[in-house]
Amino acid sequence: MASGQLSRAGALACTGCRHACHVMLYCDTKTQLFGRIPIRHIILMQMRFDGLLGFPGGYVTPSEETLEAGLSRELLEELGVALPILAEDHVDCCQAPASSHSSTSRLITHFYVKKMEEEQIKEVEKEAASTATDHGQEVLGMVRVPLYTTKNGGGLAPFLSHSFIGNARSQLVDSLLRLDMIAPEELHKALGHSLKLSTHSGEDLQAALTRTEAKRKRF
């Protein structure tokens, strides 16, 4: 078992721990970007209220509800759809990085993966923007993960360079490999390019900070 990972039984036996459940909803697709770039799979993530990317889900209370019931409740609030989540959809659980939460109690994250039909995924996207109670508040919008790479390096690499909540990025990467959604060498290349983009973004941010500091001093 990898460092930080727990068994489901071990996680539920943890006293004084908070639990959060999230799910990766995905489907296969034959559609193509611009009619020539295979999209291959549709994976749903969301832009959170804090500006970070993450998977749908939230906090659950195992003493009052099962992990799956709690996750389904959170999905209804965030997606506007009551999706049935099964224990068989559970992939792993681990202790979340300390930087991902402010509580003094330990946070254990439970990750699920659920495959759906393309029409079901589209319905989730529609309901999330029209009926979900959390839309525009805790959830700023659903996003699809681009699994392709364009000629100029666009697609997966820039997406991976964004800021993710907790271990959401590693959950995504692990799922891409485990489900054979992308060739390991292709993913490795995208991650390498993503690192370069992150460095460039840091330089841009520093330049913007310098400009705003100069203006701030004027006033």
Side-chain angles (χ1 to χ4, degrees), residues 105-122:
S105 61
R106 289 197 299 165
L107 174 65
I108 295 177
T109 61
H110 301 264
F111 188 57
Y112 294 74
V113 172
K114 184 177 182 64
K115 186 174 184 179
M116 305 173 69
E117 296 297 327
E118 186 168 359
E119 287 306 313
Q120 293 176 308
I121 288 288
K122 291 180 178 179

Side-chain angles (χ1 to χ4, degrees), residues 24-127:
M24 185 182 92
L25 304 174
Y26 80 98
C27 71
D28 301 328
T29 181
K30 295 181 179 179
T31 58
Q32 297 183 327
L33 177 66
F34 307 133
R36 55 184 174 79
I37 302 176
I39 293 176
R40 297 182 288 193
H41 309 282
I42 298 174
I43 298 175
L44 296 186
M45 295 191 75
Q46 59 189 12
M47 177 63 71
R48 294 160 41 95
F49 67 95
D50 50 15
L52 301 175
L53 289 169
F55 289 103
Y59 290 111
V60 302
T61 308
S63 62
E64 300 177 0
E65 58 189 350
T66 64
L67 295 175
E68 291 73 34
L71 177 53
S72 293
R73 171 180 50 75
E74 286 290 329
L75 295 181
L76 180 59
E77 296 172 2
E78 296 184 359
L79 305 179
V81 180
L83 294 176
I85 303 297
L86 306 176
E88 290 76 13
D89 300 322
H90 189 271
V91 174
D92 63 42
C93 51
C94 65
Q95 186 172 338
S99 59
S100 66
H101 59 99
S102 59
S103 175
T104 55
S105 61
R106 289 197 299 165
L107 174 65
I108 295 177
T109 61
H110 301 264
F111 188 57
Y112 294 74
V113 172
K114 184 177 182 64
K115 186 174 184 179
M116 305 173 69
E117 296 297 327
E118 186 168 359
E119 287 306 313
Q120 293 176 308
I121 288 288
K122 291 180 178 179
E123 184 64 23
V124 167
E125 291 177 309
K126 176 182 176 182
E127 294 301 318

